[in-house]
Amino acid sequence: MALMPKRVKHRKSQRGRIKGSATRGNTVVFGDYGIQSLEPGWIKATTIEAGRIAAQQYVRGEGKLYIRIFPDKSVTSTPLETRMGKGKGEPEFWAAVVKPGTILYELSGVTEQQAKVCFARLASKLPVKVRFVERRTA
């Protein structure tokens, strides 16, 4: 089963507009390396899960993968050939809203070269442009 919240405050959310850049969740915190979004967008729950599987198949128990995004926005649509009115459609899928600068995934316990190869595989599955980032040492 794909990722989705157990319960939500409001049953159906509006579409909204993604503006600005991420002020929270924009630094590598849990792992040593991460991938950061460069553009805004929605990432489906199934895409997040596909990325998790691709990364864990590459890492094979050596390192630890952290997923920093969660799909908490329901995206709805009314069925085709339905007349106007009758309300909004049922939730079709769940998505995570991503702003530029958001850290999507993190890895720890692997070398930098392994992390780059793993994230290159993962980036091919994502609908937004991403870049490789390292943890800052203060």
Side-chain angles (χ1 to χ4, degrees), residues 75-123:
V75 180
T76 64
S77 72
T78 50
L80 291 172
E81 299 176 11
T82 305
R83 292 189 174 206
M84 296 292 283
K86 305 282 189 282
K88 199 172 181 183
E90 290 301 311
E92 201 169 292
F93 61 89
W94 292 85
V97 179
V98 173
K99 289 184 172 185
T102 305
I103 300 292
L104 307 176
Y105 295 87
E106 293 183 20
L107 264 176
S108 65
V110 293
T111 64
E112 183 177 351
Q113 190 60 34
Q114 285 176 316
K116 282 186 177 178
V117 173
C118 179
F119 285 146
R121 289 180 56 167
L122 209 151

Tab-separated table of all heavy atoms in Angstrom, residues 75-123:
chain	number	residue	atom	x	y	z
A	75	VAL	N	-5.069	14.587	-3.974
A	75	VAL	CA	-5.354	15.153	-5.291
A	75	VAL	C	-6.576	14.426	-5.827
A	75	VAL	O	-6.588	13.194	-5.907
A	75	VAL	CB	-4.152	14.989	-6.239
A	75	VAL	CG1	-4.453	15.576	-7.600
A	75	VAL	CG2	-2.924	15.655	-5.639
A	76	THR	N	-7.612	15.200	-6.161
A	76	THR	CA	-8.882	14.615	-6.571
A	76	THR	C	-9.195	14.973	-8.013
A	76	THR	O	-8.639	15.917	-8.568
A	76	THR	CB	-10.028	15.148	-5.694
A	76	THR	OG1	-10.145	16.549	-5.907
A	76	THR	CG2	-9.788	14.892	-4.228
A	77	SER	N	-10.097	14.202	-8.596
A	77	SER	CA	-10.632	14.556	-9.905
A	77	SER	C	-11.961	13.837	-10.083
A	77	SER	O	-12.148	12.729	-9.573
A	77	SER	CB	-9.681	14.186	-11.028
A	77	SER	OG	-9.664	12.792	-11.199
A	78	THR	N	-12.874	14.484	-10.790
A	78	THR	CA	-14.161	13.846	-11.062
A	78	THR	C	-13.998	12.891	-12.242
A	78	THR	O	-13.172	13.135	-13.120
A	78	THR	CB	-15.244	14.894	-11.399
A	78	THR	OG1	-14.734	15.764	-12.403
A	78	THR	CG2	-15.641	15.694	-10.190
A	79	PRO	N	-14.754	11.809	-12.283
A	79	PRO	CA	-14.627	10.859	-13.389
A	79	PRO	C	-14.998	11.486	-14.733
A	79	PRO	O	-15.735	12.476	-14.782
A	79	PRO	CB	-15.625	9.754	-13.031
A	79	PRO	CG	-16.014	9.978	-11.637
A	79	PRO	CD	-15.719	11.391	-11.299
A	80	LEU	N	-14.517	10.908	-15.818
A	80	LEU	CA	-14.855	11.392	-17.154
A	80	LEU	C	-16.345	11.167	-17.421
A	80	LEU	O	-16.963	10.262	-16.870
A	80	LEU	CB	-14.025	10.649	-18.207
A	80	LEU	CG	-12.526	10.955	-18.204
A	80	LEU	CD1	-11.806	10.023	-19.146
A	80	LEU	CD2	-12.279	12.394	-18.592
A	81	GLU	N	-16.884	11.971	-18.304
A	81	GLU	CA	-18.287	11.887	-18.714
A	81	GLU	C	-19.251	12.055	-17.549
A	81	GLU	O	-20.280	11.408	-17.475
A	81	GLU	CB	-18.547	10.561	-19.445
A	81	GLU	CG	-17.709	10.420	-20.705
A	81	GLU	CD	-17.880	9.079	-21.368
A	81	GLU	OE1	-18.799	8.339	-20.975
A	81	GLU	OE2	-17.101	8.794	-22.277
A	82	THR	N	-18.869	12.921	-16.607
A	82	THR	CA	-19.745	13.263	-15.489
A	82	THR	C	-20.192	14.700	-15.688
A	82	THR	O	-19.370	15.561	-16.012
A	82	THR	CB	-18.999	13.115	-14.154
A	82	THR	OG1	-18.481	11.794	-14.074
A	82	THR	CG2	-19.914	13.363	-12.974
A	83	ARG	N	-21.466	14.954	-15.469
A	83	ARG	CA	-21.982	16.309	-15.666
A	83	ARG	C	-21.465	17.252	-14.597
A	83	ARG	O	-20.961	16.829	-13.563
A	83	ARG	CB	-23.509	16.274	-15.637
A	83	ARG	CG	-24.061	15.555	-16.843
A	83	ARG	CD	-25.552	15.727	-16.884
A	83	ARG	NE	-26.055	15.162	-18.128
A	83	ARG	CZ	-27.173	15.552	-18.699
A	83	ARG	NH1	-27.911	16.494	-18.153
A	83	ARG	NH2	-27.571	14.995	-19.816
A	84	MET	N	-21.636	18.557	-14.869
A	84	MET	CA	-21.189	19.579	-13.916
A	84	MET	C	-21.981	19.455	-12.626
A	84	MET	O	-23.123	19.000	-12.623
A	84	MET	CB	-21.391	20.970	-14.515
A	84	MET	CG	-20.540	21.231	-15.745
A	84	MET	SD	-18.794	21.318	-15.359
A	84	MET	CE	-18.718	22.936	-14.647
A	85	GLY	N	-21.340	19.894	-11.551
A	85	GLY	CA	-22.007	19.805	-10.256
A	85	GLY	C	-21.673	18.494	-9.576
A	85	GLY	O	-20.685	17.854	-9.881
A	86	LYS	N	-22.454	18.095	-8.637
A	86	LYS	CA	-22.289	16.849	-7.884
A	86	LYS	C	-21.005	16.832	-7.048
A	86	LYS	O	-20.518	15.770	-6.691
A	86	LYS	CB	-22.296	15.629	-8.821
A	86	LYS	CG	-23.521	15.506	-9.716
A	86	LYS	CD	-24.705	14.959	-8.966
A	86	LYS	CE	-25.846	14.623	-9.880
A	86	LYS	NZ	-26.610	15.802	-10.325
A	87	GLY	N	-20.422	17.991	-6.777
A	87	GLY	CA	-19.285	18.069	-5.866
A	87	GLY	C	-17.947	17.690	-6.475
A	87	GLY	O	-17.823	17.444	-7.664
A	88	LYS	N	-16.969	17.651	-5.591
A	88	LYS	CA	-15.603	17.336	-5.990
A	88	LYS	C	-15.420	15.823	-6.020
A	88	LYS	O	-16.093	15.095	-5.314
A	88	LYS	CB	-14.657	17.958	-4.954
A	88	LYS	CG	-13.251	18.135	-5.404
A	88	LYS	CD	-12.487	18.938	-4.366
A	88	LYS	CE	-11.062	19.146	-4.822
A	88	LYS	NZ	-10.274	19.847	-3.830
A	89	GLY	N	-14.501	15.343	-6.821
A	89	GLY	CA	-14.285	13.904	-6.958
A	89	GLY	C	-13.596	13.303	-5.744
A	89	GLY	O	-13.167	13.998	-4.829
A	90	GLU	N	-13.466	12.002	-5.771
A	90	GLU	CA	-12.784	11.270	-4.695
A	90	GLU	C	-11.272	11.432	-4.834
A	90	GLU	O	-10.781	11.668	-5.935
A	90	GLU	CB	-13.153	9.790	-4.772
A	90	GLU	CG	-14.591	9.501	-4.386
A	90	GLU	CD	-14.929	9.947	-2.979
A	90	GLU	OE1	-14.161	9.621	-2.042
A	90	GLU	OE2	-15.941	10.638	-2.805
A	91	PRO	N	-10.531	11.287	-3.726
A	91	PRO	CA	-9.071	11.372	-3.823
A	91	PRO	C	-8.522	10.322	-4.785
A	91	PRO	O	-8.817	9.143	-4.668
A	91	PRO	CB	-8.596	11.101	-2.394
A	91	PRO	CG	-9.745	11.501	-1.539
A	91	PRO	CD	-10.971	11.181	-2.331
A	92	GLU	N	-7.731	10.796	-5.753
A	92	GLU	CA	-7.165	9.910	-6.767
A	92	GLU	C	-5.802	9.389	-6.327
A	92	GLU	O	-5.491	8.225	-6.502
A	92	GLU	CB	-7.039	10.682	-8.075
A	92	GLU	CG	-6.964	9.815	-9.293
A	92	GLU	CD	-7.102	10.645	-10.548
A	92	GLU	OE1	-8.188	11.182	-10.794
A	92	GLU	OE2	-6.108	10.744	-11.276
A	93	PHE	N	-4.972	10.290	-5.785
A	93	PHE	CA	-3.680	9.883	-5.244
A	93	PHE	C	-3.251	10.895	-4.190
A	93	PHE	O	-3.850	11.950	-4.038
A	93	PHE	CB	-2.618	9.757	-6.354
A	93	PHE	CG	-2.328	11.033	-7.103
A	93	PHE	CD1	-1.351	11.911	-6.675
A	93	PHE	CD2	-3.021	11.345	-8.269
A	93	PHE	CE1	-1.075	13.072	-7.373
A	93	PHE	CE2	-2.751	12.497	-8.972
A	93	PHE	CZ	-1.779	13.363	-8.526
A	94	TRP	N	-2.211	10.539	-3.436
A	94	TRP	CA	-1.647	11.423	-2.412
A	94	TRP	C	-0.292	11.909	-2.897
A	94	TRP	O	0.450	11.159	-3.539
A	94	TRP	CB	-1.512	10.676	-1.085
A	94	TRP	CG	-2.834	10.347	-0.494
A	94	TRP	CD1	-3.609	9.261	-0.765
A	94	TRP	CD2	-3.568	11.131	0.451
A	94	TRP	NE1	-4.775	9.321	-0.045
A	94	TRP	CE2	-4.774	10.455	0.714
A	94	TRP	CE3	-3.325	12.337	1.091
A	94	TRP	CZ2	-5.728	10.940	1.592
A	94	TRP	CZ3	-4.275	12.816	1.982
A	94	TRP	CH2	-5.460	12.132	2.216
A	95	ALA	N	0.021	13.157	-2.593
A	95	ALA	CA	1.276	13.739	-3.062
A	95	ALA	C	1.938	14.559	-1.960
A	95	ALA	O	1.265	15.061	-1.055
A	95	ALA	CB	1.018	14.630	-4.273
A	96	ALA	N	3.252	14.678	-2.047
A	96	ALA	CA	4.026	15.537	-1.159
A	96	ALA	C	4.309	16.832	-1.913
A	96	ALA	O	4.758	16.795	-3.063
A	96	ALA	CB	5.325	14.860	-0.764
A	97	VAL	N	4.033	17.964	-1.299
A	97	VAL	CA	4.307	19.257	-1.911
A	97	VAL	C	5.769	19.594	-1.642
A	97	VAL	O	6.213	19.625	-0.493
A	97	VAL	CB	3.380	20.349	-1.339
A	97	VAL	CG1	3.692	21.695	-1.958
A	97	VAL	CG2	1.929	19.977	-1.571
A	98	VAL	N	6.529	19.830	-2.715
A	98	VAL	CA	7.969	20.067	-2.599
A	98	VAL	C	8.300	21.448	-3.128
A	98	VAL	O	7.919	21.803	-4.243
A	98	VAL	CB	8.741	18.987	-3.389
A	98	VAL	CG1	10.207	19.305	-3.435
A	98	VAL	CG2	8.513	17.634	-2.778
A	99	LYS	N	9.001	22.224	-2.317
A	99	LYS	CA	9.480	23.545	-2.732
A	99	LYS	C	10.959	23.445	-3.104
A	99	LYS	O	11.634	22.495	-2.691
A	99	LYS	CB	9.323	24.544	-1.579
A	99	LYS	CG	7.902	24.923	-1.282
A	99	LYS	CD	7.882	25.982	-0.187
A	99	LYS	CE	6.492	26.546	0.011
A	99	LYS	NZ	6.495	27.649	0.970
A	100	PRO	N	11.489	24.405	-3.842
A	100	PRO	CA	12.930	24.383	-4.133
A	100	PRO	C	13.735	24.466	-2.835
A	100	PRO	O	13.442	25.289	-1.971
A	100	PRO	CB	13.147	25.635	-4.982
A	100	PRO	CG	11.813	25.978	-5.526
A	100	PRO	CD	10.814	25.501	-4.529
A	101	GLY	N	14.709	23.607	-2.696
A	101	GLY	CA	15.551	23.586	-1.501
A	101	GLY	C	15.200	22.483	-0.524
A	101	GLY	O	15.944	22.225	0.423
A	102	THR	N	14.082	21.794	-0.712
A	102	THR	CA	13.677	20.727	0.200
A	102	THR	C	14.579	19.509	0.025
A	102	THR	O	14.843	19.083	-1.098
A	102	THR	CB	12.218	20.299	-0.067
A	102	THR	OG1	11.378	21.435	0.020
A	102	THR	CG2	11.758	19.253	0.924
A	103	ILE	N	15.049	18.956	1.146
A	103	ILE	CA	15.817	17.712	1.104
A	103	ILE	C	14.819	16.569	0.994
A	103	ILE	O	13.912	16.444	1.816
A	103	ILE	CB	16.688	17.547	2.366
A	103	ILE	CG1	17.676	18.705	2.504
A	103	ILE	CG2	17.417	16.213	2.346
A	103	ILE	CD1	18.746	18.756	1.462
A	104	LEU	N	14.978	15.728	-0.031
A	104	LEU	CA	14.020	14.653	-0.280
A	104	LEU	C	14.441	13.345	0.383
A	104	LEU	O	13.647	12.708	1.063
A	104	LEU	CB	13.857	14.444	-1.791
A	104	LEU	CG	13.517	15.685	-2.615
A	104	LEU	CD1	13.478	15.349	-4.089
A	104	LEU	CD2	12.202	16.276	-2.167
A	105	TYR	N	15.668	12.918	0.149
A	105	TYR	CA	16.195	11.678	0.718
A	105	TYR	C	17.572	11.944	1.302
A	105	TYR	O	18.287	12.832	0.833
A	105	TYR	CB	16.348	10.595	-0.352
A	105	TYR	CG	15.059	10.111	-0.979
A	105	TYR	CD1	14.511	10.750	-2.080
A	105	TYR	CD2	14.407	8.993	-0.480
A	105	TYR	CE1	13.345	10.307	-2.668
A	105	TYR	CE2	13.238	8.533	-1.071
A	105	TYR	CZ	12.711	9.189	-2.162
A	105	TYR	OH	11.561	8.741	-2.744
A	106	GLU	N	17.959	11.147	2.316
A	106	GLU	CA	19.296	11.227	2.894
A	106	GLU	C	19.866	9.830	3.051
A	106	GLU	O	19.118	8.866	3.223
A	106	GLU	CB	19.255	11.915	4.271
A	106	GLU	CG	18.889	13.369	4.223
A	106	GLU	CD	18.938	14.030	5.593
A	106	GLU	OE1	19.612	13.491	6.502
A	106	GLU	OE2	18.310	15.079	5.753
A	107	LEU	N	21.188	9.736	2.994
A	107	LEU	CA	21.894	8.474	3.167
A	107	LEU	C	23.003	8.641	4.187
A	107	LEU	O	23.678	9.671	4.215
A	107	LEU	CB	22.534	8.026	1.851
A	107	LEU	CG	21.786	7.044	0.963
A	107	LEU	CD1	22.562	6.821	-0.316
A	107	LEU	CD2	21.519	5.748	1.652
A	108	SER	N	23.205	7.612	5.012
A	108	SER	CA	24.335	7.602	5.938
A	108	SER	C	24.972	6.223	5.908
A	108	SER	O	24.332	5.237	5.527
A	108	SER	CB	23.894	7.945	7.363
A	108	SER	OG	23.034	6.944	7.853
A	109	GLY	N	26.228	6.150	6.299
A	109	GLY	CA	26.927	4.867	6.361
A	109	GLY	C	27.451	4.365	5.037
A	109	GLY	O	27.742	3.173	4.908
A	110	VAL	N	27.553	5.240	4.040
A	110	VAL	CA	28.107	4.859	2.735
A	110	VAL	C	29.149	5.890	2.326
A	110	VAL	O	29.197	6.992	2.876
A	110	VAL	CB	27.010	4.760	1.638
A	110	VAL	CG1	26.066	3.616	1.910
A	110	VAL	CG2	26.255	6.046	1.493
A	111	THR	N	29.979	5.529	1.342
A	111	THR	CA	30.976	6.472	0.847
A	111	THR	C	30.298	7.501	-0.059
A	111	THR	O	29.164	7.303	-0.500
A	111	THR	CB	32.071	5.735	0.046
A	111	THR	OG1	31.464	5.151	-1.108
A	111	THR	CG2	32.745	4.663	0.883
A	112	GLU	N	31.023	8.568	-0.340
A	112	GLU	CA	30.466	9.625	-1.187
A	112	GLU	C	30.186	9.121	-2.603
A	112	GLU	O	29.163	9.452	-3.192
A	112	GLU	CB	31.430	10.817	-1.242
A	112	GLU	CG	30.885	11.979	-2.038
A	112	GLU	CD	31.801	13.184	-2.028
A	112	GLU	OE1	32.787	13.198	-1.270
A	112	GLU	OE2	31.521	14.123	-2.802
A	113	GLN	N	31.069	8.279	-3.116
A	113	GLN	CA	30.886	7.735	-4.464
A	113	GLN	C	29.648	6.841	-4.519
A	113	GLN	O	28.860	6.917	-5.465
A	113	GLN	CB	32.138	6.949	-4.899
A	113	GLN	CG	32.137	6.558	-6.353
A	113	GLN	CD	32.081	7.759	-7.285
A	113	GLN	OE1	32.633	8.817	-6.988
A	113	GLN	NE2	31.403	7.616	-8.403
A	114	GLN	N	29.454	6.003	-3.513
A	114	GLN	CA	28.269	5.137	-3.461
A	114	GLN	C	26.994	5.973	-3.374
A	114	GLN	O	25.995	5.665	-4.021
A	114	GLN	CB	28.331	4.205	-2.252
A	114	GLN	CG	29.309	3.066	-2.396
A	114	GLN	CD	29.372	2.247	-1.124
A	114	GLN	OE1	29.421	2.790	-0.017
A	114	GLN	NE2	29.391	0.932	-1.276
A	115	ALA	N	27.042	7.035	-2.570
A	115	ALA	CA	25.873	7.901	-2.414
A	115	ALA	C	25.533	8.591	-3.728
A	115	ALA	O	24.354	8.697	-4.088
A	115	ALA	CB	26.123	8.935	-1.314
A	116	LYS	N	26.543	9.043	-4.466
A	116	LYS	CA	26.296	9.711	-5.752
A	116	LYS	C	25.649	8.764	-6.758
A	116	LYS	O	24.709	9.142	-7.455
A	116	LYS	CB	27.601	10.282	-6.322
A	116	LYS	CG	28.016	11.567	-5.666
A	116	LYS	CD	29.215	12.179	-6.333
A	116	LYS	CE	29.552	13.509	-5.691
A	116	LYS	NZ	30.738	14.130	-6.257
A	117	VAL	N	26.135	7.524	-6.819
A	117	VAL	CA	25.562	6.546	-7.743
A	117	VAL	C	24.123	6.207	-7.332
A	117	VAL	O	23.226	6.144	-8.177
A	117	VAL	CB	26.440	5.268	-7.790
A	117	VAL	CG1	25.764	4.180	-8.603
A	117	VAL	CG2	27.805	5.593	-8.357
A	118	CYS	N	23.913	6.019	-6.043
A	118	CYS	CA	22.573	5.688	-5.530
A	118	CYS	C	21.589	6.811	-5.827
A	118	CYS	O	20.469	6.561	-6.296
A	118	CYS	CB	22.659	5.427	-4.032
A	118	CYS	SG	21.078	5.035	-3.283
A	119	PHE	N	21.982	8.045	-5.567
A	119	PHE	CA	21.084	9.185	-5.798
A	119	PHE	C	20.885	9.461	-7.288
A	119	PHE	O	19.854	10.004	-7.676
A	119	PHE	CB	21.596	10.432	-5.076
A	119	PHE	CG	21.368	10.394	-3.592
A	119	PHE	CD1	22.268	10.963	-2.716
A	119	PHE	CD2	20.234	9.802	-3.057
A	119	PHE	CE1	22.050	10.952	-1.351
A	119	PHE	CE2	20.005	9.774	-1.693
A	119	PHE	CZ	20.922	10.346	-0.835
A	120	ALA	N	21.847	9.094	-8.127
A	120	ALA	CA	21.658	9.237	-9.571
A	120	ALA	C	20.562	8.297	-10.047
A	120	ALA	O	19.717	8.669	-10.876
A	120	ALA	CB	22.956	8.952	-10.310
A	121	ARG	N	20.533	7.084	-9.509
A	121	ARG	CA	19.462	6.127	-9.831
A	121	ARG	C	18.119	6.642	-9.338
A	121	ARG	O	17.106	6.519	-10.017
A	121	ARG	CB	19.738	4.776	-9.163
A	121	ARG	CG	20.882	4.012	-9.774
A	121	ARG	CD	21.083	2.708	-9.082
A	121	ARG	NE	19.855	1.908	-9.099
A	121	ARG	CZ	19.796	0.628	-8.781
A	121	ARG	NH1	20.893	-0.005	-8.435
A	121	ARG	NH2	18.663	-0.027	-8.817
A	122	LEU	N	18.128	7.210	-8.149
A	122	LEU	CA	16.903	7.698	-7.528
A	122	LEU	C	16.377	8.940	-8.251
A	122	LEU	O	15.170	9.099	-8.425
A	122	LEU	CB	17.206	8.024	-6.066
A	122	LEU	CG	16.088	7.911	-5.076
A	122	LEU	CD1	16.664	7.566	-3.724
A	122	LEU	CD2	15.328	9.178	-4.987
A	123	ALA	N	17.281	9.810	-8.702
A	123	ALA	CA	16.878	11.059	-9.355
A	123	ALA	C	16.164	10.808	-10.675
A	123	ALA	O	15.322	11.611	-11.090
A	123	ALA	CB	18.099	11.942	-9.595
